Coordinates of all heavy atoms in Angstrom, one line a residue:
M1 N 3.1 12.5 27.6 CA 2.1 12.8 26.6 C 0.8 12.8 27.1 O 0.3 11.8 27.6 CB 2.3 11.7 25.5 CG 1.3 11.8 24.3 SD 2.2 12.3 22.9 CE 0.9 12.3 21.6
S2 N 0.1 13.9 27.0 CA -1.3 13.9 27.5 C -2.3 14.1 26.4 O -2.2 15.1 25.7 CB -1.4 15.1 28.5 OG -1.0 16.3 28.0
D3 N -3.1 13.1 26.3 CA -4.1 13.1 25.2 C -5.5 13.2 25.7 O -5.7 12.7 26.8 CB -4.0 11.8 24.3 CG -2.9 11.7 23.3 OD1 -2.1 12.7 23.3 OD2 -2.9 10.9 22.5
I4 N -6.3 13.8 24.9 CA -7.7 13.8 25.2 C -8.4 13.1 24.0 O -7.8 12.9 23.0 CB -8.3 15.2 25.4 CG1 -8.1 16.1 24.2 CG2 -7.7 15.9 26.6 CD1 -8.9 17.4 24.2
K5 N -9.6 12.9 24.2 CA -10.4 12.3 23.1 C -11.4 13.4 22.6 O -12.2 13.8 23.5 CB -11.1 11.0 23.4 CG -10.1 9.8 23.3 CD -10.9 8.5 23.2 CE -10.0 7.4 23.4 NZ -8.8 7.4 22.7
V6 N -11.5 13.7 21.4 CA -12.7 14.4 20.9 C -13.5 13.4 20.0 O -12.9 12.5 19.5 CB -12.4 15.7 20.2 CG1 -11.6 16.6 21.1 CG2 -11.5 15.4 18.9
F7 N -14.7 13.7 19.8 CA -15.5 12.7 19.0 C -16.1 13.5 17.8 O -16.6 14.7 17.9 CB -16.7 12.2 19.8 CG -16.1 11.3 21.0 CD1 -15.7 11.9 22.2 CD2 -16.1 10.0 20.8 CE1 -15.3 11.1 23.2 CE2 -15.5 9.1 21.9 CZ -15.2 9.8 23.0
V8 N -16.1 12.8 16.6 CA -16.6 13.4 15.4 C -17.9 12.6 15.1 O -17.9 11.4 14.9 CB -15.6 13.3 14.3 CG1 -16.3 13.8 13.0 CG2 -14.4 14.1 14.6
Q9 N -19.0 13.4 15.0 CA -20.2 12.7 14.7 C -20.2 12.5 13.1 O -20.2 13.5 12.4 CB -21.4 13.5 15.1 CG -22.7 12.7 14.9 CD -23.9 13.4 15.4 OE1 -24.6 14.2 14.7 NE2 -24.3 13.3 16.7
E10 N -20.3 11.2 12.7 CA -20.3 10.9 11.3 C -21.8 11.1 10.7 O -22.7 11.2 11.5 CB -19.9 9.5 11.1 CG -18.6 9.1 11.8 CD -17.4 9.8 11.1 OE1 -17.5 10.4 10.0 OE2 -16.2 9.8 11.7
P11 N -21.9 11.3 9.4 CA -23.2 11.4 8.8 C -24.2 10.3 9.2 O -25.4 10.5 9.3 CB -22.9 11.3 7.3 CG -21.5 11.8 7.2 CD -20.8 11.3 8.4
S12 N -23.6 9.1 9.6 CA -24.4 8.0 10.0 C -25.0 8.2 11.4 O -25.9 7.4 11.9 CB -23.6 6.7 10.0 OG -22.6 6.8 11.0
G13 N -24.4 9.2 12.1 CA -24.9 9.4 13.4 C -24.0 8.8 14.6 O -24.2 9.1 15.7
S14 N -23.0 7.9 14.1 CA -22.1 7.4 15.1 C -21.0 8.4 15.4 O -20.7 9.2 14.6 CB -21.6 6.0 14.6 OG -20.8 6.2 13.5
N15 N -20.4 8.2 16.6 CA -19.4 9.2 17.0 C -18.0 8.4 16.9 O -17.8 7.4 17.4 CB -19.5 9.6 18.4 CG -20.6 10.6 18.5 OD1 -21.1 11.1 17.5 ND2 -21.0 10.9 19.8
T16 N -17.0 9.0 16.1 CA -15.7 8.4 16.0 C -14.7 9.1 16.9 O -14.6 10.4 16.9 CB -15.2 8.6 14.6 OG1 -16.1 8.0 13.7 CG2 -13.9 8.0 14.4
P17 N -14.1 8.4 17.8 CA -13.1 9.1 18.7 C -11.9 9.4 18.0 O -11.4 8.7 17.1 CB -12.8 8.0 19.8 CG -13.2 6.7 19.2 CD -14.2 6.9 18.1
V18 N -11.3 10.6 18.4 CA -10.1 11.1 17.7 C -9.2 11.5 18.9 O -9.5 12.3 19.8 CB -10.3 12.3 16.9 CG1 -9.0 13.0 16.4 CG2 -11.2 11.9 15.7
D19 N -7.9 10.9 18.9 CA -7.0 11.3 19.9 C -6.4 12.7 19.6 O -6.0 12.9 18.5 CB -5.8 10.3 20.0 CG -6.3 8.9 20.6 OD1 -7.1 9.0 21.6 OD2 -5.8 7.9 20.1
A20 N -6.4 13.5 20.6 CA -5.8 14.8 20.4 C -4.8 15.2 21.6 O -5.2 15.1 22.7 CB -6.9 15.9 20.5
P21 N -3.5 15.5 21.2 CA -2.6 15.8 22.2 C -2.8 17.2 22.7 O -3.0 18.1 21.9 CB -1.2 15.7 21.4 CG -1.5 15.8 20.0 CD -3.0 15.3 19.8
T22 N -2.7 17.4 23.9 CA -2.9 18.7 24.5 C -1.6 19.5 24.7 O -1.7 20.7 25.2 CB -3.7 18.6 25.9 OG1 -2.9 17.9 26.8 CG2 -5.0 18.1 25.7
D23 N -0.5 18.9 24.5 CA 0.8 19.5 24.9 C 1.6 19.9 23.7 O 2.8 20.1 23.7 CB 1.6 18.6 25.8 CG 1.7 17.2 25.1 OD1 1.2 17.0 24.0 OD2 2.4 16.4 25.9
M24 N 0.9 20.1 22.5 CA 1.7 20.4 21.3 C 1.2 21.8 20.7 O 1.6 22.1 19.6 CB 1.5 19.3 20.3 CG 2.3 18.0 20.7 SD 2.0 16.7 19.6 CE 2.7 17.3 18.1
G25 N 0.3 22.5 21.4 CA -0.1 23.8 20.9 C -0.9 23.7 19.6 O -0.9 24.6 18.8
L26 N -1.6 22.5 19.4 CA -2.4 22.4 18.3 C -3.8 23.0 18.4 O -4.3 23.1 19.5 CB -2.6 20.8 17.9 CG -1.4 20.1 17.6 CD1 -1.7 18.6 17.5 CD2 -0.6 20.6 16.4
N27 N -4.4 23.2 17.2 CA -5.8 23.6 17.3 C -6.7 22.4 16.7 O -6.1 21.5 16.1 CB -6.1 24.9 16.5 CG -5.8 24.9 15.0 OD1 -6.3 23.9 14.3 ND2 -4.9 25.8 14.5
L28 N -7.9 22.6 16.9 CA -8.8 21.4 16.6 C -8.7 21.1 15.1 O -8.8 19.9 14.7 CB -10.2 21.8 17.0 CG -11.2 20.6 17.1 CD1 -10.7 19.4 17.9 CD2 -12.5 21.1 17.7
M29 N -8.7 22.1 14.3 CA -8.6 21.9 12.8 C -7.4 21.0 12.5 O -7.5 20.0 11.7 CB -8.5 23.2 12.1 CG -8.3 23.1 10.6 SD -6.5 23.0 10.1 CE -5.9 24.7 10.3
E30 N -6.3 21.3 13.1 CA -5.0 20.5 12.8 C -5.2 19.1 13.2 O -4.7 18.2 12.5 CB -3.8 21.2 13.5 CG -3.5 22.5 13.0 CD -2.5 23.3 13.8 OE1 -2.6 23.3 15.0 OE2 -1.6 24.0 13.2
V31 N -5.8 18.9 14.4 CA -6.0 17.5 14.8 C -7.0 16.7 13.9 O -6.7 15.5 13.6 CB -6.6 17.5 16.3 CG1 -7.1 16.2 16.7 CG2 -5.5 17.9 17.2
L32 N -8.1 17.4 13.5 CA -9.1 16.7 12.7 C -8.4 16.4 11.3 O -8.6 15.3 10.7 CB -10.3 17.5 12.5 CG -11.1 17.8 13.8 CD1 -12.2 18.9 13.6 CD2 -11.7 16.5 14.3
K33 N -7.7 17.3 10.7 CA -7.1 17.1 9.4 C -6.0 16.0 9.6 O -5.9 15.1 8.7 CB -6.3 18.5 9.0 CG -6.2 18.7 7.6 CD -5.8 20.1 7.4 CE -5.0 20.3 6.1 NZ -5.7 19.9 4.9
A34 N -5.2 16.0 10.6 CA -4.2 14.9 10.8 C -4.9 13.6 11.0 O -4.2 12.6 10.6 CB -3.4 15.2 12.0
S35 N -6.1 13.6 11.3 CA -6.9 12.3 11.5 C -7.5 11.9 10.3 O -8.3 10.9 10.3 CB -7.9 12.4 12.6 OG -7.3 12.7 13.9
G36 N -7.4 12.6 9.2 CA -7.9 12.3 7.9 C -9.2 12.8 7.5 O -9.7 12.5 6.4
Y37 N -9.7 13.8 8.3 CA -11.0 14.4 7.9 C -10.6 15.4 6.8 O -9.6 16.2 6.8 CB -11.7 15.0 9.1 CG -12.3 14.0 9.9 CD1 -11.6 13.5 11.1 CD2 -13.4 13.4 9.6 CE1 -12.2 12.5 11.8 CE2 -14.0 12.4 10.3 CZ -13.4 12.0 11.4 OH -13.9 10.9 12.2
P38 N -11.5 15.5 5.8 CA -11.3 16.4 4.6 C -11.5 17.8 4.8 O -12.6 18.4 4.4 CB -12.3 15.8 3.6 CG -13.4 15.3 4.4 CD -12.8 14.8 5.7
I39 N -10.7 18.5 5.6 CA -10.8 19.9 5.8 C -9.8 20.6 5.0 O -8.5 20.4 5.1 CB -10.5 20.2 7.3 CG1 -11.6 19.5 8.1 CG2 -10.6 21.8 7.5 CD1 -11.3 19.7 9.7
A40 N -10.2 21.5 4.1 CA -9.3 22.2 3.1 C -8.3 23.1 3.9 O -7.2 23.1 3.6 CB -10.0 22.9 2.1
A41 N -8.8 23.8 4.8 CA -8.1 24.8 5.6 C -7.1 25.6 4.7 O -5.9 25.8 5.0 CB -7.3 24.0 6.7
T42 N -7.8 26.2 3.7 CA -6.9 26.9 2.7 C -6.2 28.1 3.3 O -5.2 28.6 2.8 CB -7.8 27.3 1.5 OG1 -9.0 27.8 2.0 CG2 -8.0 26.1 0.6
C43 N -6.8 28.7 4.3 CA -6.1 29.9 5.0 C -5.1 29.5 6.0 O -4.4 30.3 6.5 CB -7.1 30.8 5.6 SG -7.7 30.2 7.2
G44 N -5.0 28.2 6.2 CA -3.9 27.8 7.1 C -4.2 28.1 8.6 O -3.3 28.1 9.5
G45 N -5.5 28.3 8.9 CA -5.8 28.5 10.3 C -5.9 29.9 10.7 O -5.8 30.2 11.9
M46 N -6.1 30.8 9.7 CA -6.2 32.2 10.1 C -7.6 32.8 10.2 O -7.7 34.0 10.2 CB -5.4 33.0 8.9 CG -4.0 32.5 8.7 SD -2.9 33.0 10.1 CE -2.8 34.7 9.9
A47 N -8.6 31.9 10.3 CA -9.9 32.4 10.4 C -10.4 33.1 9.2 O -11.2 34.1 9.3 CB -10.2 33.2 11.7
L48 N -9.9 32.7 8.0 CA -10.2 33.5 6.8 C -11.0 32.6 5.7 O -11.5 33.2 4.8 CB -8.9 34.0 6.2 CG -8.2 35.1 6.9 CD1 -6.8 35.4 6.3 CD2 -9.0 36.3 7.0
C49 N -11.0 31.4 5.9 CA -11.6 30.6 4.7 C -12.9 29.8 5.2 O -13.6 29.4 4.3 CB -10.5 29.5 4.2 SG -10.2 28.2 5.3
A50 N -13.0 29.6 6.4 CA -14.2 28.9 7.0 C -14.4 27.5 6.5 O -15.4 26.9 6.8 CB -15.5 29.8 6.7
T51 N -13.4 26.9 5.8 CA -13.5 25.5 5.4 C -13.4 24.6 6.7 O -13.7 23.4 6.5 CB -12.6 25.1 4.4 OG1 -11.2 25.4 5.0 CG2 -12.7 25.9 3.1
C52 N -13.0 25.1 7.8 CA -12.8 24.3 9.0 C -14.0 24.4 9.9 O -14.0 24.0 11.1 CB -11.6 24.6 9.7 SG -11.7 26.3 10.4
H53 N -15.1 24.9 9.3 CA -16.3 25.1 10.1 C -16.9 23.7 10.7 O -16.9 22.8 10.1 CB -17.4 25.6 9.1 CG -18.7 25.9 9.7 ND1 -19.8 26.0 8.9 CD2 -19.1 26.2 10.9 CE1 -20.9 26.3 9.7 NE2 -20.5 26.3 11.0
I54 N -17.2 23.8 12.0 CA -17.8 22.7 12.7 C -19.0 23.1 13.5 O -19.1 24.4 13.8 CB -16.8 22.0 13.7 CG1 -16.2 23.1 14.7 CG2 -15.6 21.4 12.9 CD1 -15.5 22.5 15.9
E55 N -19.7 22.2 14.0 CA -20.8 22.5 14.9 C -20.5 21.7 16.1 O -20.1 20.5 16.1 CB -22.1 22.0 14.3 CG -23.3 22.5 15.1 CD -24.6 22.1 14.4 OE1 -24.6 21.7 13.3 OE2 -25.6 22.3 15.1
V56 N -20.4 22.4 17.3 CA -20.1 21.8 18.6 C -21.4 21.3 19.1 O -22.4 22.0 19.5 CB -19.5 22.8 19.5 CG1 -19.2 22.2 20.9 CG2 -18.2 23.3 19.0
L57 N -21.5 19.9 19.3 CA -22.7 19.2 19.8 C -22.7 19.0 21.3 O -23.8 18.8 21.8 CB -22.9 17.9 19.0 CG -22.9 18.0 17.5 CD1 -23.0 16.6 16.9 CD2 -24.0 18.8 17.0
S58 N -21.6 18.9 21.9 CA -21.6 18.7 23.4 C -21.7 20.1 24.0 O -21.5 21.2 23.4 CB -20.3 18.0 23.8 OG -19.1 18.6 23.2
D59 N -21.9 20.1 25.4 CA -22.1 21.5 26.0 C -20.8 21.9 26.7 O -20.8 22.4 27.9 CB -23.3 21.4 26.9 CG -23.2 20.3 27.9 OD1 -22.2 19.6 27.9 OD2 -24.2 20.1 28.7
H60 N -19.7 21.7 26.1 CA -18.4 22.2 26.7 C -18.4 23.7 26.7 O -18.9 24.3 25.8 CB -17.2 21.7 25.9 CG -16.9 20.2 26.1 ND1 -17.8 19.3 25.7 CD2 -15.9 19.6 26.8 CE1 -17.2 18.1 26.1 NE2 -16.1 18.3 26.7
E61 N -17.7 24.2 27.7 CA -17.6 25.7 27.7 C -16.3 26.1 26.9 O -15.3 25.7 27.3 CB -17.2 26.1 29.2 CG -18.4 26.2 30.2 CD -19.2 27.5 30.0 OE1 -18.6 28.5 29.7 OE2 -20.4 27.5 30.2
L62 N -16.6 26.7 25.8 CA -15.4 27.1 24.9 C -15.3 28.6 25.1 O -16.3 29.3 25.3 CB -15.8 26.7 23.5 CG -15.9 25.2 23.2 CD1 -16.3 25.0 21.8 CD2 -14.7 24.5 23.6
P63 N -14.1 29.1 24.8 CA -14.0 30.6 24.8 C -14.8 31.2 23.7 O -14.9 30.5 22.7 CB -12.4 30.8 24.5 CG -11.8 29.5 24.7 CD -12.9 28.4 24.6
P64 N -15.4 32.3 23.8 CA -16.2 32.9 22.8 C -15.4 33.2 21.6 O -14.1 33.4 21.5 CB -16.7 34.1 23.4 CG -15.9 34.5 24.5 CD -15.3 33.2 25.0
P65 N -16.0 33.2 20.4 CA -15.3 33.5 19.2 C -14.7 34.8 19.2 O -15.3 35.8 19.7 CB -16.4 33.4 18.0 CG -17.6 32.7 18.7 CD -17.4 33.0 20.1
S66 N -13.5 35.0 18.5 CA -12.9 36.4 18.4 C -13.7 37.1 17.3 O -14.6 36.5 16.7 CB -11.6 36.2 17.9 OG -11.6 35.6 16.6
D67 N -13.4 38.4 17.2 CA -14.2 39.1 16.2 C -14.0 38.6 14.8 O -14.9 38.5 14.0 CB -13.7 40.6 16.2 CG -14.2 41.3 17.4 OD1 -15.0 40.8 18.2 OD2 -13.7 42.5 17.6
D68 N -12.7 38.2 14.5 CA -12.4 37.6 13.2 C -13.3 36.3 12.9 O -13.9 36.1 11.9 CB -11.0 37.2 13.1 CG -10.1 38.5 12.9 OD1 -10.7 39.6 12.6 OD2 -8.9 38.4 13.0
E69 N -13.3 35.5 13.9 CA -14.1 34.2 13.8 C -15.6 34.5 13.6 O -16.2 34.0 12.9 CB -13.8 33.3 15.0 CG -14.6 31.9 14.8 CD -14.4 31.0 16.0 OE1 -13.6 31.3 17.0 OE2 -15.1 30.0 16.1
G70 N -16.1 35.4 14.5 CA -17.5 35.8 14.4 C -17.8 36.3 13.1 O -18.9 36.0 12.5
Y71 N -17.0 37.1 12.5 CA -17.2 37.7 11.2 C -17.3 36.7 10.1 O -18.2 36.7 9.3 CB -16.1 38.8 10.9 CG -16.3 39.4 9.6 CD1 -17.3 40.5 9.4 CD2 -15.6 39.1 8.5 CE1 -17.4 41.1 8.2 CE2 -15.7 39.7 7.3 CZ -16.6 40.7 7.1 OH -16.9 41.3 5.9
M72 N -16.4 35.8 10.1 CA -16.4 34.6 9.1 C -17.6 33.8 9.3 O -18.3 33.4 8.4 CB -15.1 33.8 9.4 CG -13.9 34.0 8.6 SD -14.2 34.6 6.9 CE -14.9 33.2 6.1
L73 N -18.0 33.5 10.5 CA -19.1 32.6 10.8 C -20.3 33.3 10.2 O -21.2 32.6 9.7 CB -19.3 32.3 12.3 CG -18.3 31.3 12.8 CD1 -18.4 31.3 14.3 CD2 -18.4 29.9 12.2
D74 N -20.4 34.6 10.5 CA -21.6 35.4 10.0 C -21.8 35.3 8.5 O -22.9 35.5 7.9 CB -21.6 36.8 10.5 CG -22.0 36.9 11.9 OD1 -22.5 35.9 12.5 OD2 -21.8 38.0 12.5
S75 N -20.6 35.1 7.8 CA -20.7 35.2 6.4 C -21.1 33.8 5.8 O -21.3 33.7 4.5 CB -19.3 35.6 5.8 OG -18.4 34.4 5.9
L76 N -21.2 32.8 6.6 CA -21.6 31.5 6.1 C -23.1 31.5 5.8 O -23.8 32.1 6.5 CB -21.2 30.4 7.0 CG -19.7 30.2 7.2 CD1 -19.4 29.2 8.4 CD2 -19.1 29.8 5.9
P77 N -23.5 30.7 4.9 CA -24.9 30.6 4.5 C -25.9 30.2 5.6 O -27.0 30.6 5.7 CB -24.9 29.7 3.3 CG -23.6 29.0 3.2 CD -22.6 29.8 4.0
A78 N -25.4 29.2 6.3 CA -26.3 28.6 7.4 C -25.4 28.2 8.6 O -24.6 27.3 8.5 CB -27.0 27.4 6.8
I79 N -25.6 28.9 9.6 CA -24.9 28.5 10.8 C -25.8 28.4 12.0 O -27.0 28.8 11.9 CB -23.8 29.7 11.3 CG1 -24.5 31.1 11.5 CG2 -22.8 29.8 10.2 CD1 -23.6 32.0 12.2
T80 N -25.4 27.8 13.0 CA -26.2 27.7 14.2 C -25.4 28.3 15.4 O -24.3 28.8 15.2 CB -26.4 26.1 14.6 OG1 -25.2 25.6 15.1 CG2 -26.8 25.3 13.4
D81 N -26.1 28.3 16.5 CA -25.5 28.9 17.7 C -24.2 28.2 18.1 O -23.4 28.7 18.9 CB -26.5 28.9 18.9 CG -27.6 29.9 18.7 OD1 -27.5 30.8 17.9 OD2 -28.6 29.8 19.4
H82 N -24.1 27.0 17.6 CA -23.0 26.1 18.0 C -22.0 26.0 16.9 O -21.0 25.2 17.0 CB -23.5 24.7 18.3 CG -24.6 24.7 19.3 ND1 -24.5 24.9 20.6 CD2 -26.0 24.5 19.1 CE1 -25.7 24.9 21.2 NE2 -26.6 24.7 20.3
S83 N -22.1 26.9 15.9 CA -21.0 26.8 14.9 C -19.8 27.5 15.4 O -19.8 28.5 16.0 CB -21.5 27.6 13.6 OG -22.6 27.0 13.1
R84 N -18.6 26.9 14.9 CA -17.3 27.5 15.3 C -16.4 27.2 14.1 O -16.6 26.3 13.3 CB -16.8 26.9 16.5 CG -17.5 27.1 17.8 CD -17.6 28.6 18.2 NE -16.3 29.2 18.4 CZ -15.8 29.5 19.6 NH1 -16.5 29.1 20.7 NH2 -14.6 30.0 19.7
L85 N -15.2 27.9 14.1 CA -14.2 27.6 13.2 C -13.2 26.7 14.0 O -12.7 27.2 15.1 CB -13.5 28.8 12.7 CG -14.4 29.8 11.8 CD1 -13.5 31.0 11.4 CD2 -14.9 29.0 10.6
S86 N -12.9 25.5 13.6 CA -12.1 24.6 14.4 C -10.7 25.0 14.5 O -9.9 24.7 15.5 CB -12.2 23.2 13.9 OG -11.8 23.1 12.6
C87 N -10.2 25.9 13.5 CA -8.8 26.3 13.6 C -8.6 27.4 14.8 O -7.5 27.6 15.2 CB -8.4 27.0 12.3 SG -9.1 28.5 11.9
Q88 N -9.8 27.8 15.3 CA -9.7 28.9 16.3 C -9.9 28.2 17.8 O -9.9 29.0 18.7 CB -10.7 30.0 16.1 CG -10.6 30.7 14.8 CD -9.2 31.4 14.6 OE1 -8.8 32.2 15.5 NE2 -8.4 30.9 13.7
I89 N -10.0 27.0 17.8 CA -10.2 26.3 19.1 C -8.9 25.5 19.4 O -8.5 24.6 18.8 CB -11.4 25.3 18.9 CG1 -12.6 26.1 18.6 CG2 -11.5 24.5 20.3 CD1 -13.9 25.3 18.5
K90 N -8.3 26.0 20.5 CA -7.1 25.3 21.0 C -7.4 24.0 21.6 O -8.4 23.9 22.4 CB -6.4 26.3 22.0 CG -5.7 27.4 21.4 CD -4.6 27.9 22.3 CE -3.9 29.1 21.6 NZ -4.0 29.4 20.3
V91 N -6.5 23.0 21.4 CA -6.8 21.7 22.0 C -6.2 21.7 23.5 O -5.0 21.9 23.6 CB -6.1 20.6 21.2 CG1 -6.3 19.2 22.0 CG2 -6.8 20.5 19.8
L92 N -7.1 21.8 24.4 CA -6.7 21.9 25.8 C -7.4 20.8 26.6 O -8.4 20.3 26.1 CB -7.0 23.2 26.4 CG -6.4 24.5 25.8 CD1 -6.9 25.8 26.3 CD2 -4.9 24.4 26.1
P93 N -6.9 20.4 27.8 CA -7.5 19.3 28.5 C -9.0 19.5 28.7 O -9.7 18.5 28.8 CB -6.8 19.4 29.9 CG -5.4 20.0 29.5 CD -5.7 20.9 28.4
N94 N -9.5 20.7 28.8 CA -10.9 20.8 29.1 C -11.8 20.5 27.9 O -13.0 20.6 28.0 CB -11.3 22.2 29.6 CG -11.0 23.3 28.6 OD1 -10.4 23.1 27.5 ND2 -11.4 24.6 28.8
L95 N -11.2 20.2 26.8 CA -12.0 19.8 25.6 C -12.2 18.3 25.6 O -12.9 17.7 24.7 CB -11.3 20.1 24.3 CG -11.2 21.5 23.9 CD1 -10.7 21.5 22.4 CD2 -12.4 22.3 24.1
D96 N -11.7 17.5 26.6 CA -12.0 16.1 26.6 C -13.4 15.7 26.5 O -14.3 16.3 27.3 CB -11.3 15.5 27.9 CG -11.2 14.0 27.9 OD1 -10.9 13.5 26.7 OD2 -11.2 13.4 28.9
G97 N -13.7 14.8 25.6 CA -15.1 14.4 25.4 C -15.9 15.3 24.5 O -17.1 15.0 24.2
L98 N -15.3 16.3 23.9 CA -16.0 17.2 23.0 C -16.6 16.5 21.8 O -15.9 15.5 21.3 CB -15.0 18.3 22.4 CG -15.5 19.4 21.6 CD1 -16.1 20.5 22.6 CD2 -14.5 20.1 20.7
V99 N -17.8 16.8 21.4 CA -18.4 16.1 20.2 C -18.7 17.2 19.2 O -19.3 18.3 19.5 CB -19.8 15.5 20.6 CG1 -20.3 14.7 19.4 CG2 -19.5 14.5 21.8
V100 N -18.2 17.0 18.0 CA -18.4 18.0 16.9 C -18.9 17.3 15.6 O -18.8 16.1 15.5 CB -17.0 18.7 16.6 CG1 -16.5 19.4 17.8 CG2 -16.0 17.7 15.9
K101 N -19.5 18.1 14.8 CA -19.9 17.7 13.5 C -19.2 18.5 12.4 O -19.1 19.8 12.7 CB -21.4 17.8 13.4 CG -22.0 17.1 12.2 CD -23.5 17.0 12.5 CE -24.4 18.0 11.7 NZ -25.7 18.0 12.1
L102 N -18.6 17.9 11.5 CA -17.9 18.8 10.5 C -18.8 19.4 9.5 O -19.9 18.9 9.1 CB -17.0 17.8 9.7 CG -15.9 17.1 10.5 CD1 -14.8 16.5 9.7 CD2 -15.3 18.0 11.6
G103 N -18.3 20.6 9.0 CA -19.0 21.2 7.9 C -20.4 21.6 8.1 O -21.2 21.7 7.2
A104 N -20.8 21.8 9.3 CA -22.2 22.1 9.7 C -22.6 23.4 8.9 O -21.9 24.4 8.8 CB -22.3 22.3 11.2
G105 N -23.8 23.2 8.4 CA -24.4 24.5 7.8 C -24.0 24.7 6.4 O -24.3 25.8 5.9
E106 N -23.1 23.9 5.8 CA -22.7 24.2 4.4 C -23.5 23.4 3.4 O -24.1 22.4 3.7 CB -21.2 23.9 4.3 CG -20.4 25.0 5.1 CD -19.0 24.6 5.3 OE1 -18.7 23.4 5.3 OE2 -18.2 25.5 5.8
Ligands
FES201 S1 -8.7 27.0 8.5 FE1 -9.4 28.7 7.4 S2 -10.9 29.4 8.8 FE2 -10.1 27.8 9.9

């Protein structure tokens, strides 16, 4: 079992570690949801609902957004250069130490 840790920045400013398995084909939305974070994910991870919107605070190299993800992000009222849809981010070893904030810009 190979786990990495990602960190969720809470409204208080503290970072909560979340264990994320890299060998189960999960995406970040699934991991955050399974850890109890209130992500509606009404589209089931199809880049269609944007309820899994996060802001990436660490400087990890992530694959660029797909056209679908970019289109959804553009439709949100307030996004930053670091906004992503967590359902479109695969949990891979290179995400170890990633820091995100949930629901950024909403
Ligand atoms: S879960 Fe709907 S866009 Fe990510």
Side-chain angles (χ1 to χ4, degrees):
M1 178 108 174
S2 51
D3 274 12
I4 60 168
K5 280 199 195 310
V6 299
F7 295 85
V8 177
Q9 188 177 91
E10 307 291 347
S12 66
S14 64
N15 288 347
T16 302
V18 173
D19 287 323
T22 57
D23 52 2
M24 291 174 61
L26 296 176
N27 63 54
L28 193 54
M29 173 276 282
E30 292 168 322
V31 167
L32 295 172
K33 209 169 152 59
S35 299
Y37 285 99
I39 299 175
T42 44
C43 76
M46 303 294 288
L48 292 173
C49 72
T51 58
C52 68
H53 180 202
I54 57 167
E55 190 173 351
V56 176
L57 302 178
S58 52
D59 54 4
H60 285 67
E61 283 277 327
L62 298 177
S66 65
D67 287 351
D68 285 347
E69 181 182 352
Y71 180 76
M72 264 325 292
L73 287 171
D74 281 346
S75 75
L76 294 175
I79 61 167
T80 73
D81 289 347
H82 307 290
S83 293
R84 296 299 299 257
L85 298 180
S86 57
C87 69
Q88 301 301 299
I89 298 178
K90 287 206 183 338
V91 176
L92 294 172
N94 67 352
L95 290 195
D96 194 29
L98 189 80
V99 184
V100 303
K101 190 159 105 185
L102 303 191
E106 285 163 345

